[in-house]
Amino acid sequence: INMTTSLSNASPKNAEIRVAFLGNSIIYFNDCPRLLEHMLRSKYSTVVQDSCLRGGASLPSLWQDGNGMRNKFGASEEAKRDDGSSDFGAPMVQDLLSTGRWNYVVMNDYTQAPARPENRLATVEALDQLYGPLLQSTTPVLLQTAAYRRPTNGSEDLGTVSEFTAKVKEGYALYAATLKNFSPNAKVAPVGDAFLYIHDNDKELW
């Protein structure tokens, strides 16, 4: 909600806004790019979104392997735009960032990566050497993912939901600090903190 409010208030009503998405199923599972596109239409006369997404990807592996949406969704209805054309996104991160003139780039890492020092370092290096130079004219928004509800994919050592969240938050703070060397407005959308609040205060909803 905070991210959407920020984007909605970023410029006068009826202006154009361009938002790109980089990441994995955290972003594509509920069709976040097109959901946000429709939400922003009430504030902007033109909303442009595009993406490079791949299931299970980290930011380093997404740079290397590129988009996985065509293989995942093929010709299914989930890949259709309102006009009937297919919406798979850009084939590679480089293609998306080098041609888009984006106002915002929303991006997330593999959930466990920022919580693990070796994976965190790999992402920091990718942000510094690969992503950062292409993000200088935009505002990167790092989507701090939520901790797993229960141990998954070997995450037992990351601790409780609170401990897992704290480690992820620490990693994303380092990511933002790295990107601020290229884009001073780089920010973190604290989605994981919101999920932790629900975990701590509304067990039924959790």
Side-chain angles (χ1 to χ4, degrees):
I1 293 173
N2 287 341
M3 184 180 74
T4 305
T5 301
S6 175
L7 299 186
S8 297
N9 293 333
S11 57
K13 189 174 181 179
N14 298 324
E16 177 184 78
I17 188 168
R18 302 174 64 87
V19 186
F21 296 84
L22 298 169
N24 52 40
S25 60
I26 296 294
I27 290 177
Y28 76 66
F29 188 80
N30 289 306
D31 204 359
C32 181
R34 283 188 284 183
L35 172 63
L36 188 59
E37 176 186 349
H38 282 278
M39 293 172 69
L40 290 172
R41 284 178 180 171
S42 65
K43 294 286 186 178
Y44 295 90
S45 59
T46 302
V47 180
V48 178
Q49 65 84 11
D50 202 353
S51 59
C52 184
L53 305 169
R54 189 180 193 90
S58 64
L59 288 171
S61 71
L62 182 66
W63 182 278
Q64 177 178 324
D65 299 330
N67 194 317
M69 296 297 93
R70 184 179 295 276
N71 290 339
K72 184 166 185 67
F73 292 110
S76 68
E77 289 302 311
E78 288 84 352
K80 299 293 187 182
R81 296 188 179 93
D82 292 342
D83 63 5
S85 62
S86 295
D87 183 13
F88 297 113
M92 301 296 291
V93 173
Q94 304 92 309
D95 299 316
L96 182 65
L97 296 183
S98 63
T99 61
R101 304 187 310 281
W102 305 106
N103 299 110
Y104 295 89
V105 177
V106 180
M107 50 203 299
N108 80 285
D109 203 3
Y110 176 65
T111 296
Q112 295 187 40
R116 299 188 178 281
E118 65 277 15
N119 300 107
R120 182 189 296 177
L121 178 59
T123 297
V124 167
E125 290 179 348
L127 293 174
D128 183 57
Q129 299 172 18
L130 303 173
Y131 287 83
L134 295 177
L135 293 170
Q136 296 182 69
S137 61
T138 186
T139 296
V141 179
L142 292 153
L143 196 161
Q144 175 203 329
T145 52
Y148 300 148
R149 296 188 181 189
R150 59 187 65 85
T152 304
N153 297 328
S155 68
E156 290 82 0
D157 62 311
L158 296 177
T160 64
V161 171
S162 179
E163 292 167 337
F164 193 165
T165 299
K167 293 172 183 175
V168 171
K169 184 174 183 177
E170 183 180 275
Y172 272 95
L174 184 57
Y175 295 173
T178 301
L179 287 181
K180 282 180 183 293
N181 293 323
F182 301 93
S183 176
N185 293 323
K187 60 189 67 183
V188 176
V191 175
D193 288 351
F195 273 74
L196 180 61
Y197 180 86
I198 293 171
H199 171 271
D200 292 344
N201 293 280
D202 193 335
K203 294 298 183 183
E204 183 178 356
L205 179 58
W206 177 259

